[in-house]
Amino acid sequence: MKIALGCDHAGLPLMEHVRTWLTDAGHELVDFGTHTLESVDYTDFAHKVAQTVAAGDADRGVVICGTGLGVSYTVNRYKGIRGALCTDTYLAKMARMHNNANVLAMGARVIGAGVAEDIVQAFFNTEFEGGRHERRVNKIDEDCV
Ligand code: RB5
């Protein structure tokens, strides 16, 4: 899979792990940074990930900030993007099975690396169930004003 990555300074320590896990799993990465601990605006990186996935230039995305909230608000402004803020593996699995989520958001100040690794595994190894869920997922964008 081709996966777009974006984080702010608060998300960087966890993103370093995510980059390793996804590379080791054989994924191709489009890494928008940030790459230093200098304070930056999470929006600048989340927008790039959302635009890349929405354009079809990446299959999925991962966005990380301190809480995961700011990056998830940002990516979910885009049609075709379903950003899932996950704090456990149940959410990650259900975000894929029922919502066909295409961007994973996490909070580096909320969860540890061990939980994050399980979330990443669940998110990238769980298939969408389709069926009635496809109709509902389509309505997210169709019924949006
Ligand atoms: C940065 O301090 C923090 O506000 C940011 O990473 C994120 O948590 C915002 O939602």
Side-chain angles (χ1 to χ4, degrees):
M1 237 180 256
K2 191 168 176 181
I3 303 169
L5 306 180
C7 66
D8 70 359
H9 54 288
L12 180 61
L14 179 56
M15 187 59 93
E16 306 276 19
H17 291 293
V18 170
R19 197 182 296 126
T20 302
W21 299 329
L22 293 178
T23 302
D24 288 352
H27 297 291
E28 181 186 349
L29 305 182
V30 184
D31 188 357
F32 291 110
T34 187
H35 297 115
T36 75
L37 293 174
E38 182 189 344
S39 181
V40 290
D41 299 335
Y42 58 82
T43 48
D44 300 348
F45 306 90
H47 277 302
K48 284 179 185 164
V49 170
Q51 287 163 7
T52 302
V53 176
D57 293 330
D59 303 301
R60 300 219 194 131
V62 178
V63 287
I64 306 178
C65 62
T67 59
L69 289 168
V71 287
S72 62
Y73 301 145
T74 307
V75 299
N76 280 311
R77 300 301 295 266
Y78 289 79
K79 282 202 167 185
I81 296 296
R82 292 171 299 282
L85 174 54
C86 296
T87 50
D88 59 45
T89 53
Y90 178 75
L91 288 172
K93 276 186 205 157
M94 295 309 290
R96 289 291 312 134
M97 287 166 63
H98 284 195
N99 309 125
N100 200 15
N102 49 11
V103 178
L104 169 63
M106 294 186 288
R109 293 171 177 165
V110 180
I111 55 172
V115 171
E117 184 171 11
D118 287 350
I119 288 171
V120 167
Q121 297 290 348
F123 190 81
F124 286 99
N125 293 303
T126 304
E127 295 299 319
F128 181 42
E129 285 183 354
R132 68 188 187 280
H133 301 297
E134 183 147 32
R135 181 180 70 246
R136 294 164 185 166
V137 164
N138 289 338
K139 283 178 155 185
I140 294 173
D141 284 338
E142 283 167 12
D143 294 353
C144 186
V145 288

